[in-house]
Amino acid sequence: MHAALRGALRQHRVSQFCIDIALAVDANGELTKALCPRHKGINRIWEKVCMRKDGRFDVDDCLDIARGGVECDSMKLINAPVVYILGREDVAAVRVKNRFLKPTGGGWRDVFINFYSKDDTGRYIGEIQLMHKHLLNVREDMGAHHDYNSFRAAQQILSWHADIGPTMSAMQGITSICPF
């Protein structure tokens, strides 16, 4: 669990990076907003590392313990932080994922960048999510994040047991009759 502790200790740096990004692309703070949550909780970390078949229990592969985001008013503004982050000399991007082109199984769309600070001798990898304001509103204000958490857990369990349980088509064919 040393990786979890290292990630948590770097949360303040990731949060400051989110603020720097938001100010760099929108100096007036009218069109972007830095999102600085707490580090990922131990229960979610444990869930993520336990549900992997390869590298199971390897917390070092959990790349979003220290995390943050930038809420953007437009798609054009989502591109500006990508260019800003990739152009920084003090940061090394290790992965950029455009989930607008290929959304998650639950339909979530964003761009996220996993990175480390070049002055971090441990090269701990954090994550920045770049999210459209309207999609974030649906997630936060309309309960989509709660639904997503339930969906994600069910999807992970089905994926874990895919080779020993019923096929996905068999699962989709199951119907139930409500007695009420």
Side-chain angles (χ1 to χ4, degrees), residues 12-84:
H12 72 283
R13 292 186 76 176
V14 174
S15 294
Q16 185 58 54
F17 192 32
C18 291
I19 294 166
D20 295 345
I21 294 165
L23 290 174
V25 300
D26 178 27
N28 295 330
E30 297 171 1
L31 304 172
T32 62
K33 180 174 145 187
L35 305 172
C36 305
R38 294 183 35 156
H39 59 80
K40 187 173 290 294
I42 192 67
N43 291 335
R44 177 64 183 129
I45 295 168
W46 192 242
E47 179 184 351
K48 284 182 84 166
V49 300
C50 289
M51 293 305 289
R52 283 195 207 117
K53 289 187 179 183
D54 298 324
R56 194 167 182 212
F57 304 123
D58 186 0
V59 179
D60 287 333
D61 287 341
C62 192
L63 304 179
D64 62 347
I65 295 171
R67 67 234 172 100
V70 178
E71 175 186 312
C72 301
D73 226 22
S74 69
M75 293 301 291
K76 185 177 183 178
L77 269 175
I78 289 175
N79 186 58
V82 172
V83 172
Y84 174 77

Side-chain angles (χ1 to χ4, degrees), residues 17 20-21 24 82-93 118:
F17 192 32
D20 295 345
I21 294 165
V82 172
V83 172
Y84 174 77
I85 294 167
L86 297 179
R88 296 261 311 230
E89 294 291 325
D90 60 332
V91 171
K118 291 183 180 177

Side-chain angles (χ1 to χ4, degrees), residues 121-179:
T121 57
R123 289 192 170 184
Y124 180 79
I125 298 172
E127 180 176 289
I128 300 287
Q129 285 185 315
L130 308 170
M131 299 163 277
H132 195 285
K133 178 181 180 176
H134 297 304
L135 291 173
L136 191 60
N137 286 342
V138 170
R139 183 171 93 174
E140 300 296 326
D141 299 336
M142 297 180 188
H145 199 62
H146 174 74
D147 294 341
Y148 166 72
N149 286 338
S150 301
F151 171 81
R152 180 188 65 217
Q155 183 182 37
Q156 288 175 335
I157 291 167
L158 287 173
S159 175
W160 179 259
H161 294 288
D163 55 343
I164 59 171
T167 65
M168 189 57 92
S169 60
M171 290 296 289
Q172 289 172 340
I174 297 172
T175 58
S176 62
I177 300 171
C178 180

